[in-house]
Amino acid sequence: GDSVTQMEGPVTLSEEAFLTINCTYTATGYPSLFWYVQYPGEGLQLLLKATKADDKGSNKGFEATYRKETTSFHLEKGSVQVSDSAVYFCALIFQGGSEKLVFGKGTKLTVNP
Amino acid sequence: EAQVTQNPRYLITVTGKKLTVTCSQNMNHEYMSWYRQDPGLGLRQIYYSMNVEVTDKGDVPEGYKVSRKEKRNFPLILESPSPNQTSLYFCASSARGYGYTFGSGTRLTVV
């Protein structure tokens, strides 16, 4: 079945460091891909999305590119801030199906001043 | 403001006492879904709905019921809660292809 694998955490960085969180997926067909962020004590917020191959999603300085050839959707940010400390979830929805959102396990990011 | 509203935010209850967690969205979304989040297990889908009166089981439906009588509401019902249903619950809604909007969560403790 459809699945998402993202890098195990936790990830600890210093402020202004470069961030990459790897995400790969297994799906039949061409899913839509998402990154969600969960700040401490809050619900999940949609961070960015991409719906077809080579699309780049971006928001708040974060970017991810839909790579069909490597079935990947890695999250990147050039310079992280303390306020980026959160748990990040990669997810997919298989197009044409029941609109079920399938999540990776999440990666906890801590950014130190 | 476009949002998904869950109530209550926190709930402590006893084993076997029926409870309902309400969920309402004001975006006219067709799709709604319930998830539970547990340490080490991530987010798992409990039930989902593709429209009014159309619901189906997710990955972990045992011990839960849902209904979708109106487009905006999607309550989660625990007829006889047990301690293994202690968890953080999220309701979410979506229009096709846009990604889900999540509620703030309900932290349930069953003692």
Side-chain angles (χ1 to χ4, degrees), chain A residues 32 34 36 38 41-46 49 51 87 89 93-105, chain B residues 9 31 35 37 40-43 45 48 50 58-59 88 90 94-105:
Chain A
S32 295
F34 304 85
Y36 282 84
Q38 184 178 29
E42 297 185 14
L44 283 82
Q45 300 176 24
L46 179 62
K49 69 176 184 181
T51 57
V87 180
F89 293 91
I93 292 176
F94 176 58
Q95 295 181 13
S98 63
E99 206 71 4
K100 178 179 177 179
L101 190 60
V102 177
F103 284 97
K105 290 287 178 68
Chain B
R9 288 292 308 275
Y31 299 90
Y35 288 84
Q37 185 177 25
L41 297 175
L43 286 138
Q45 191 185 52
Y48 66 95
M50 292 191 277
D59 300 315
L88 180 57
F90 289 104
S94 169
R96 179 178 281 283
Y98 284 84
Y100 278 80
T101 300
F102 280 77
S104 299

Side-chain angles (χ1 to χ4, degrees), chain B residues 22 38-39 67 69-70 95 102:
Chain B
T22 63
D38 301 290
S67 68
K69 294 185 169 56
E70 306 162 281
F102 280 77

Side-chain angles (χ1 to χ4, degrees), chain B residues 1 12 14 16 25 30 54 68 86 94-95 105:
Chain B
E1 182 189 351
I12 301 175
V14 296
Q25 51 98 359
E30 302 93 348
V54 182
R68 186 95 181 272
T86 292
S94 169

